[in-house]
Amino acid sequence: MKSDALIKYNGEPEIGSTIDKKDIIAVINELEKFNDECYNHHETIKQFEDIFSKRVGNQYAVSVSSCAVGIDMVLKYLSLKNTDEVLSCAINFHGTHLSIINTGAKLVLVEANQDLNIDVDDLARKITLNTKAIVVTHMNGVSCDMKRIRELIKGTNIKIIEDAARSLGSMYLDSAVGNNSWACVYSFQYKKMITTLGEGGMIVTNDRQLLTALQAYRSFGLGENWGTNYKMTSVQAAMGLSQLKRLDEFVNNRRFLAKYRTERIQQSLEEFVCPKDDSTYYNSYYLYTILVPSVWKKSYRDELILRLNDIGIKCVIANLPTYQKNEFIRMNCDTSQTILSKKLGERIVCLPIHPSMTTIENEFLVEAFIRNAKYINKKYFGGK
């Protein structure tokens, strides 16, 4: 049986949330304000920023045109030199590492754990007197161990910058991901947990001086400093406000689907590693990320993905160490100290997940995954 319905999700769905009539009405209402000579587009943007900052537990929020731009802006504030170092997990989205390299500072790659987040033990080994910042990426809906990271840099001037592009709605120790650092950046790109018409981002912080600098950077320096145009539009903000009201719904739907998957897969495939989700790490499941057994060869994992693809289940690998697919990054960092991350990258399979996926679609996906994984095990290891 081929589930044609699953094809629409295509691994990492083309849109990570859903658009309903309320979202459309919110956009139309904002557009209709344009003809009012008293219209102030800043009001809707400010409202979105204020509500968003409260939602994630920070004092300030600055809306921007994208998450990548947000990371660029926060790093620019640090005025980094070519002798400075910025640490970041090797398994990542390449845009995060491009932002670091763009500062002129040295990108130092840190190994990943099985949850694809930064390995704090390896992080400790790689911190030096030249370390100025750590960009902590929360991969695919799972928070990093922020308590250990904060303890690690206690008493230093090292800044923690959280990249929560994929983890809006996730929690760590009962607090929203994003309020455990100096600054955190989110994405509203069309694949993310909520969207602001395809692109957009938000920076949150409790640092008033950083806030002032960021507001200047995004709007031509506000007549006093350097700046350019990194602003979000009021129509995007209207969509963001509407989508934010539905974030819990989106996350709950994802978690419902994921709970069933994890229970079934753990029952049937003991050596497979399912996504972390417990009392400390509340997973929003931007992606449902599985690691195949460590004894599998990369070719076995690839064969599994191809078999699933043939029945309409389009998986993705999110993500490999960035330098494996990006030559510019490879030429601008030391890749020799991330052997474990390379091996982890050969085990990753991300199954489609989306808040509008039905129970029937989800059950079909899980049973197909288990059946084909068992086939690979039997083919190469003689297992059941």
Side-chain angles (χ1 to χ4, degrees):
M1 173 184 176
K2 182 175 180 177
S3 177
D4 293 330
L6 283 174
I7 295 174
K8 67 185 178 183
Y9 299 111
N10 195 29
E12 190 177 2
E14 284 305 305
I15 186 164
S17 62
T18 62
I19 304 299
D20 69 5
K21 290 183 179 179
K22 290 182 180 179
D23 296 324
I24 295 169
I25 290 170
V27 170
I28 292 172
N29 287 342
E30 192 66 27
L31 288 170
E32 288 178 342
K33 296 177 184 178
F34 275 55
N35 291 328
D36 185 343
E37 61 184 27
C38 297
Y39 173 57
N40 180 357
H41 71 279
H42 295 293
E43 291 179 357
T44 304
I45 295 170
K46 183 65 164 60
Q47 184 183 6
F48 183 34
E49 291 171 341
D50 289 346
I51 291 175
F52 190 91
S53 64
K54 289 183 176 66
R55 166 75 198 222
V56 299
N58 283 265
Q59 285 184 271
Y60 312 116
V62 180
S63 59
V64 287
S65 55
S66 73
C67 179
V69 158
I71 296 173
D72 286 341
M73 291 165 63
V74 174
L75 288 170
K76 177 176 174 53
Y77 180 81
L78 295 177
S79 300
L80 298 168
K81 304 184 294 294
N82 60 10
T83 54
D84 296 330
E85 297 174 351
V86 178
L87 279 55
S88 182
C89 188
I91 290 181
N92 223 312
F93 178 66
H94 63 96
T96 302
H97 290 171
L98 291 173
S99 290
I100 295 170
I101 294 169
N102 185 55
T103 66
K106 179 182 179 182
L107 166 64
V108 178
L109 299 178
V110 181
E111 291 279 30
N113 283 320
Q114 281 199 144
D115 58 10
L116 307 188
N117 282 327
I118 198 164
D119 184 315
V120 182
D121 292 330
D122 193 47
L123 178 65
R125 289 189 288 269
K126 290 177 178 174
I127 290 175
T128 71
L129 294 176
N130 293 323
T131 303
K132 301 301 180 186
I134 305 167
V135 178
V136 178
T137 303
H138 306 292
M139 284 297 289
N140 298 347
V142 181
S143 172
C144 296
D145 189 344
M146 296 305 297
K147 182 178 179 181
R148 285 193 64 202
I149 295 171
R150 288 198 307 269
E151 289 173 350
L152 190 61
I153 67 161
K154 190 174 182 180
T156 74
N157 292 319
I158 298 171
K159 299 293 188 184
I160 300 175
I161 302 165
E162 293 179 81
D163 175 355
R166 300 181 178 186
S167 295
L168 177 60
S170 300
M171 299 181 72
Y172 172 76
L173 292 173
D174 297 322
S175 64
V177 163
N179 65 1
N180 289 285
S181 62
W182 172 60
C184 180
V185 189
Y186 301 85
S187 174
F188 308 135
Q189 185 252 11
Y190 59 91
K191 294 180 180 180
K192 298 307 185 289
M193 305 300 286
I194 66 171
T195 186
T196 51
L197 298 175
E199 294 291 349
M202 190 77 77
I203 309 165
V204 296
T205 185
N206 293 318
D207 185 331
R208 179 73 186 183
Q209 290 184 320
L210 176 61
L211 169 72
T212 301
L214 295 174
Q215 289 173 332
Y217 292 159
R218 74 170 176 183
S219 189
F220 302 106
L222 295 175
E224 296 180 1
N225 300 293
W226 175 89
T228 186
N229 188 355
Y230 291 146
K231 297 189 293 295
M232 174 182 287
T233 69
S234 61
V235 177
Q236 287 180 288
M239 171 63 88
L241 280 165
S242 183
Q243 286 263 296
L244 192 58
K245 293 175 184 177
R246 303 172 61 207
L247 176 60
D248 289 335
E249 170 197 338
F250 296 150
V251 172
N252 289 339
N253 288 352
R254 288 172 179 271
R255 287 178 56 79
F256 174 78
L257 297 168
K259 183 176 185 293
Y260 174 82
R261 294 180 184 192
T262 298
E263 289 175 353
R264 286 289 296 116
I265 292 169
Q266 287 181 338
Q267 289 171 359
S268 304
L269 301 167
E270 293 180 0
E271 295 181 5
F272 285 65
V273 179
C274 292
K276 180 187 289 185
D277 183 31
D278 53 35
S279 58
T280 299
Y281 301 92
Y282 181 91
N283 196 335
S284 62
Y285 292 99
Y286 168 72
L287 292 174
Y288 189 87
T289 307
I290 294 175
L291 296 182
V292 303
S294 58
V295 295
W296 277 33
K297 294 180 180 179
K298 175 181 176 295
S299 60
Y300 303 169
R301 187 276 311 271
D302 294 345
E303 183 177 345
L304 173 61
I305 290 175
L306 287 173
R307 289 180 63 85
L308 293 171
N309 180 77
D310 286 343
I311 56 172
I313 301 173
K314 311 290 184 178
C315 301
V316 294
I317 299 168
N319 288 82
L320 298 172
T322 56
Y323 55 82
Q324 289 190 283
K325 285 195 169 184
N326 191 305
E327 183 178 357
F328 181 77
I329 294 174
R330 185 164 61 249
M331 294 173 62
N332 283 277
C333 65
D334 178 5
T335 65
S336 65
Q337 303 299 313
T338 55
I339 304 302
L340 296 178
S341 296
K342 289 180 184 178
K343 292 180 178 178
L344 281 174
E346 295 177 352
R347 298 172 60 195
I348 297 169
V349 180
C350 296
L351 296 172
I353 192 164
H354 191 273
S356 67
M357 183 177 282
T358 67
T359 300
I360 292 174
E361 290 168 343
N362 194 45
E363 291 174 353
F364 171 83
L365 180 152
V366 173
E367 298 311 315
F369 179 83
I370 292 171
R371 182 175 65 253
N372 283 280
K374 285 184 173 181
Y375 170 86
I376 300 292
N377 262 335
K378 185 174 183 180
K379 179 178 179 179
Y380 295 106
F381 301 102
K384 295 181 180 180

